[in-house]
Amino acid sequence: MYKIQTFNQISDKGLSRFPKQDYEVSPDITDPDAIVLRSFKLSMENVTPSLKAVARAGAGVNNVPVDEYTKQGIVVFNTPGANANAVKELVLCGMLLSSRGIISGINWVNSLAEQKDFSELGPQVEAGKKNFKGSELAGKTLGVVGLGSIGAMVANAAIDLGMKVLGYDPAISIEAAWRLANQVEKQENMTSLLAKSDFVTLHLPMLDSTRNLIDEKAINYFKPGCVLLNFSRDAIVNTDALLKGLENGRIGKYVCDFPTKEMLGNEQVILMPHIGASTDEAEDNCAVMAVDQLKDFLENGNILNSVNFPKISLERNDGVRLAIVNENVPGMLGKITSILAEKNINVLELLNKSRGDIAYNLIDVESKPDDSTIADILAIEHVTKVWII
């Protein structure tokens, strides 16, 4: 029986994919094989000897101490692309809100409820609408920084709206490139994109290399009056530099899903309460992907969409499967197979993959190793975790 501890409200469409006869799923489990969560902030206090994996129902894993968990041999999964459409739609909404007098117009109309005489409401509205005139998206230039699942969907949607689209992503994958419409114009550097764009939207992970990516130097390259949209992470944009850019007109408006006290009340800023992925469909999609990845890992040892372990898949045969995590140092596989040979355990098939400082092994053997064999493997220097699947 596999034990799954949950944090936050996880969609039943995902959790129901755990077969009840094989899985115990509850927030009250204290010795889980795996954790499923959304925004709950994990710490080392959540680590138990039985914990093998954490699945985040979402793309970002800022609420998981990934480096520390990696050292404990714990696989951290995310669900890239599962909420992409939800974020894409909100980015399009943000562009419309920033280019038309929608919010101010709605607020003005609602303020008319305070008056006593409504006999001239129609003419009053017609006379007042001139104050909320905006501009259309068609014909404008959108710069997309980061062309992963969300960035590609935003770029393609903007093409359909009649916009010219520029794209920049130095680490774009072949798979991501195939998703892009051929009308998206690739830029060799970000500064070129910033200088040409009426709108700039950011779709990047939060890494050391992307922290404060939009700083004072970058803002000076923006086309004056440009609208900047950030539905990635708040720390990608330097707040002080942004406020200065808004003040001097280099940035016309800022649309953001991460409110900060410095931006509250600023008429040039449209703040949303971190709702980029807050749709029923996105929550369902993320939960389903997280659960499916966890099941394949717990039942077969396969890994897909991990942020800290290598991608690995080994088809099952009639043998018994061992999963072994070790530090990525030379000679480890030989030491492990030597112990199996000493115990007269025949290896049927094995697959070894590494990522950074960690290595992961799936080894199918003819007979089930006893506790002493597992203990001997675990006693090898640099071996972190061993279990039978």
Side-chain angles (χ1 to χ4, degrees):
M1 177 71 72
Y2 297 107
K3 296 182 179 182
I4 309 296
Q5 185 179 22
T6 60
F7 292 95
N8 312 118
Q9 288 295 113
I10 306 298
S11 166
D12 286 338
K13 284 193 176 181
L15 296 183
S16 64
R17 298 170 77 87
F18 287 124
K20 291 184 179 180
Q21 66 273 20
D22 299 320
Y23 287 84
E24 181 184 354
V25 182
S26 169
D28 300 322
I29 290 173
T30 57
D31 56 342
D33 293 290
I35 290 172
V36 184
L37 78 164
R38 290 174 59 201
S39 58
F40 181 85
K41 190 172 181 62
L42 292 178
S43 69
M44 291 303 293
E45 293 181 1
N46 300 105
V47 175
T48 61
S50 62
L51 185 63
K52 303 175 184 68
V54 171
R56 160 81 162 93
V61 290
N62 300 61
N63 56 322
V64 182
V66 176
D67 291 343
E68 289 84 352
Y69 277 33
T70 302
K71 293 175 184 177
Q72 300 297 318
I74 299 169
V75 183
V76 179
F77 294 94
N78 67 344
T79 57
N83 59 17
N85 188 70
V87 179
K88 175 206 76 175
E89 290 184 359
L90 200 61
V91 172
L92 298 180
C93 173
M95 288 197 291
L96 289 167
L97 291 175
S98 65
S99 61
R100 305 285 295 270
I102 297 171
I103 296 176
S104 55
I106 290 172
N107 291 338
W108 176 72
V109 169
N110 285 330
S111 73
L112 300 180
E114 299 174 4
Q115 62 190 17
K116 296 180 179 179
D117 182 8
F118 295 96
S119 61
E120 297 297 319
L121 181 62
Q124 188 178 12
V125 169
E126 287 301 311
K129 70 180 184 181
K130 65 178 181 292
N131 297 314
F132 310 105
K133 183 173 66 173
S135 58
E136 298 179 12
L137 297 181
K140 303 298 190 299
T141 298
L142 171 66
V144 182
V145 182
L147 294 167
S149 299
I150 298 172
M153 291 183 75
V154 170
N156 293 344
I159 291 289
D160 292 338
L161 290 172
M163 301 183 78
K164 179 180 179 180
V165 179
L166 312 178
Y168 173 70
D169 190 337
I172 187 170
S173 67
I174 295 175
E175 180 183 356
W178 276 107
R179 289 196 296 260
L180 280 176
N182 57 16
Q183 297 99 318
V184 177
E185 299 179 18
K186 179 185 175 184
Q187 302 297 293
E188 295 301 322
N189 53 68
M190 190 175 70
T191 56
S192 175
L193 178 146
L194 299 179
K196 301 174 185 176
S197 300
D198 301 301
F199 297 81
V200 170
T201 181
L202 307 173
H203 300 287
L204 303 160
M206 182 61 244
L207 306 170
D208 289 340
S209 59
T210 60
R211 184 180 299 277
N212 291 320
L213 180 70
I214 305 301
D215 56 9
E216 186 172 355
K217 181 179 179 181
I219 286 174
N220 286 333
Y221 286 105
F222 274 75
K223 183 178 180 180
C226 176
V227 175
L228 175 62
L229 302 105
N230 181 11
F231 289 84
S232 292
R233 285 290 180 267
D234 55 347
I236 292 175
V237 177
N238 182 281
T239 299
D240 291 339
L242 172 75
L243 292 173
K244 186 180 293 186
L246 289 167
E247 186 177 348
N248 64 28
R250 183 64 69 170
I251 305 294
K253 288 185 179 178
Y254 182 53
V255 186
C256 177
D257 207 19
F258 316 99
T260 63
K261 63 179 182 179
E262 295 88 350
M263 297 178 193
L264 293 175
N266 191 318
E267 294 183 356
Q268 293 175 270
V269 178
I270 298 174
L271 296 173
M272 301 182 190
H274 200 185
I275 56 174
S278 294
T279 67
D280 291 336
E281 295 85 352
E283 291 178 6
D284 289 346
N285 292 340
C286 287
V288 167
M289 183 182 287
V291 168
D292 286 351
Q293 291 170 175
L294 265 187
K295 283 183 64 207
D296 195 22
F297 172 70
L298 292 173
E299 297 173 15
N300 301 301
N302 297 330
I303 296 176
L304 178 65
N305 292 326
S306 169
V307 300
N308 62 337
F309 270 62
K311 178 181 177 180
I312 186 170
S313 179
L314 182 62
E315 187 175 344
R316 293 300 295 254
N317 55 45
D318 294 332
V320 177
R321 176 160 292 182
L322 278 173
I324 302 171
V325 181
N326 60 267
E327 295 174 33
N328 187 20
V329 296
M332 294 302 299
L333 192 56
K335 293 178 182 178
I336 293 167
T337 55
S338 292
I339 288 178
L340 294 174
E342 290 170 5
K343 301 284 187 174
N344 293 316
I345 297 175
N346 186 38
V347 174
L348 300 174
E349 192 168 4
L350 64 83
L351 187 59
N352 167 273
K353 291 286 186 72
S354 62
R355 179 174 178 175
D357 295 331
I358 207 78
Y360 180 67
N361 312 271
L362 290 177
I363 304 177
D364 288 344
V365 294
E366 200 166 38
S367 56
K368 183 178 179 179
D370 58 20
D371 291 344
S372 66
T373 302
I374 299 298
D376 287 346
I377 295 174
L378 192 56
I380 298 173
E381 187 180 6
H382 305 301
V383 169
T384 307
K385 195 179 284 285
V386 183
W387 70 97
I388 298 174
I389 300 173

